[in-house]
Amino acid sequence: MVPLSWYLMLSAVLFCIGVYGVLARRNAIAILMSIELMLNAVIVNLLAFWRFEDPLGATGQAFAAFVYAVAAAEVAVGLALIISAFRSRETVDLDQITLLKW
Amino acid sequence: MTVQQIIFLLFSAVVVAAAVAVVTVRNLFHAALWLLLSFFGVGVIYVLLEAPFFAAAQLFIYMGAIGILIIFGIMMTRGMMRGLVPPANDQWWLAGLLAAALLLVLVVLARQVLWPATAGSVADDSLRQLGLALTDPQRYALPFEVASVLLVMALIGAVTIARER
């Protein structure tokens, strides 16, 4: 049996790698990929707590399913926004998309 | 150390290494391939957690749908793939510091709690339990419907935003 804390450590490491990617990458699509890493870390957490605290119920699995739905919606809208911005600005470098910056 | 623990450590190493590659490699297409490897490793972790439905969903939704979407996105915004500019911006060291601090806080917090050492066995019909919970009006039927409406709205919105005018 793998202890619960191991899953939590893996999830924490994965989430922090995602945080670094979101804050440090230039490319908008790379940031989207980092967000996917963070969402994966969250699902690992939810399923690990479900497995150890409530294995006979379905609450943790239901929440994980909702995270899947939200992740799919997020990546679709995010990519549409990036493609739209690329059409008008010819770049996906977030350092150069500064229209809302003062 | 049991076989399960060895498998867990092996695939955790794969997941973490692939994730580090995702946020550091210069070529965005390679980053997407590393992301797929990372998704696969997480799917193996779901198998260890005895959630086979989510392992399959990981393969279909994340590696299939989301992976293809991201690769399409990379191909449609080409020009950033050439690797002329460094992949990280000027504040990457600050970002690394912040992420390391967050990791430290999470690990310290997680070590202070006394987690249950063993878990009971999963119900034989856990997938059926999930289906019943998602369709039971007393439990998650409403959030389930809201999630489906959200998906439809997001996909229609994505088509509208990305359409060529």
Side-chain angles (χ1 to χ4, degrees), chain B residues 7-8 33 39 43 60 65 68 82 89 99 119 129 144 160:
Chain B
I7 295 175
F8 176 87
L33 296 181
F39 286 162
F60 292 136
I68 298 281
R82 309 215 196 289
N89 56 24
Q129 297 284 345
F144 184 63
T160 314

Side-chain angles (χ1 to χ4, degrees), chain B residues 1-142:
Chain B
M1 195 176 275
T2 64
V3 179
Q4 280 189 0
Q5 290 177 337
I6 293 172
I7 295 175
F8 176 87
L9 289 179
L10 204 67
F11 278 91
S12 305
V14 169
V15 168
V16 171
V20 168
V22 168
V23 296
T24 50
V25 296
R26 200 167 267 260
N27 187 322
L28 204 55
F29 190 72
H30 292 172
L33 296 181
W34 284 114
L35 185 69
L36 289 185
L37 180 63
S38 174
F39 286 162
F40 177 76
V42 173
V44 174
I45 303 293
Y46 294 163
V47 173
L48 287 177
L49 281 167
E50 294 177 60
F53 170 69
F54 285 92
Q58 182 81 6
L59 288 187
F60 292 136
I61 299 179
Y62 267 103
M63 288 188 74
I66 292 181
I68 298 281
L69 259 182
I70 286 179
I71 288 175
F72 271 174
I74 291 170
M75 289 176 168
M76 292 176 82
T77 58
R78 228 166 3 184
M80 287 303 287
M81 275 173 61
R82 309 215 196 289
L84 296 176
V85 287
N89 56 24
D90 302 334
Q91 55 199 354
W92 63 271
W93 56 275
L94 197 61
L97 216 63
L98 205 72
L102 180 63
L103 180 64
L104 191 71
V105 169
L106 287 176
V107 168
V108 167
L109 279 180
R111 292 185 71 88
Q112 284 180 349
V113 182
L114 198 63
W115 303 109
T118 56
S121 54
V122 175
D124 289 335
D125 54 349
S126 67
L127 186 55
R128 184 168 171 274
Q129 297 284 345
L130 174 63
L132 287 175
L134 285 178
T135 48
D136 186 351
Q138 299 297 317
R139 297 178 72 188
Y140 302 112
L142 182 65

Side-chain angles (χ1 to χ4, degrees), chain A residues 2 4 7 14 18 32 40-41 46 62 66 73 78 83 85 90 99-100:
Chain A
V2 182
L4 174 58
Y7 290 109
L14 201 56
L32 215 59
N40 256 301
L46 285 172
F66 292 136
I83 289 170
E90 293 289 311
L99 195 63
L100 287 177

Side-chain angles (χ1 to χ4, degrees), chain A residues 24 26 36 40 51 59 68 87, chain B residues 39 50 58 86 89 120 162:
Chain A
R26 276 177 200 273
E36 294 303 321
N40 256 301
R51 179 70 188 83
T59 307
Y68 266 82
R87 280 227 184 86
Chain B
F39 286 162
E50 294 177 60
Q58 182 81 6
N89 56 24

Side-chain angles (χ1 to χ4, degrees), chain A residues 3-102:
Chain A
L4 174 58
S5 56
W6 290 20
Y7 290 109
L8 298 183
M9 294 298 163
L10 171 67
S11 169
V13 171
L14 201 56
F15 190 85
C16 291
I17 293 172
V19 167
Y20 170 78
V22 167
L23 292 176
R25 293 291 295 227
R26 276 177 200 273
N27 192 304
I29 295 180
I31 289 178
L32 215 59
M33 291 198 273
S34 307
I35 294 175
E36 294 303 321
L37 287 179
M38 290 161 76
L39 284 169
N40 256 301
V42 170
I43 300 175
V44 169
N45 242 354
L46 285 172
L47 287 180
F49 279 122
W50 162 75
R51 179 70 188 83
F52 281 83
E53 303 282 357
D54 181 33
L56 293 176
T59 307
Q61 291 205 45
F63 271 78
F66 292 136
V67 176
Y68 266 82
V70 174
E74 172 259 335
V75 78
V77 174
L79 279 172
L81 284 172
I82 292 170
I83 289 170
S84 175
F86 179 73
R87 280 227 184 86
S88 60
R89 317 271 314 200
E90 293 289 311
T91 181
V92 284
D93 185 346
L94 288 186
D95 284 350
Q96 291 176 26
I97 302 177
T98 53
L99 195 63
L100 287 177
K101 207 171 168 185
W102 55 279

